Amino acid sequence: MNSKITKEGGLLRVDLDGDLTGGAEAMKFAKLIREEITSAGAISNVVINMHSVGFVDSSGLGMLLGAREAAHSVGAMLAIEEPSPQFRNLLELTKLASVLGVR
C-alpha cells in the first residue's frame, strides 16, 4: 500500500493506493498516519481517499478506526471518501459508515 499525505489549510488529505491489510507495512502506515494527524498543527478535517484501494481486511479497518481516534484527539473530524462498493457495503453492515463518516 502506498499513501500520499497533503495538508491544505485545515484539511489533512490521505490518498491511499493498494490493499489495506495487516502486516509490518500496515503497522508502519498506522504509525505514520497517527503521527501526521497529531503533528499537523491546526487541522479540522482528515479525509482518507480510498478510490484506489482494492481489498480491506479487519486490520485495515482497525487502522481506519485508529486514524479516526487520532483525528478526534486533536479536535478534527475524519471522513472516508470514495470507498469501493464492497467496502461501503461492509461499512454499512457493520454500522461503521456513520462512525467513519463515509462520503
Side-chain angles (χ1 to χ4, degrees), residues 50-69:
M50 300 187 65
H51 173 74
S52 299
V53 174
F55 179 74
V56 180
D57 69 4
S58 60
S59 295
L61 192 54
M63 284 184 279
L64 294 173
L65 290 169
R68 176 189 177 272
E69 183 178 310

Side-chain angles (χ1 to χ4, degrees), residues 69-90:
E69 183 178 310
H72 282 205
S73 75
V74 297
M77 299 298 294
L78 182 130
I80 304 295
E81 185 176 74
E82 297 188 60
S84 70
Q86 295 87 358
F87 187 55
R88 181 182 292 274
N89 187 46
L90 174 66

Side-chain angles (χ1 to χ4, degrees), residues 3 5 12 14 24-41 43 46 48 59-74 78:
S3 63
I5 300 173
L12 184 72
V14 181
E25 185 176 326
M27 296 305 289
K28 188 169 115 178
F29 169 73
K31 181 179 178 187
L32 171 71
I33 191 85
R34 280 192 307 272
E35 288 173 355
E36 286 289 333
I37 290 171
T38 56
S39 68
I43 60 168
V46 177
I48 300 180
S59 295
L61 192 54
M63 284 184 279
L64 294 173
L65 290 169
R68 176 189 177 272
E69 183 178 310
H72 282 205
S73 75
V74 297
L78 182 130

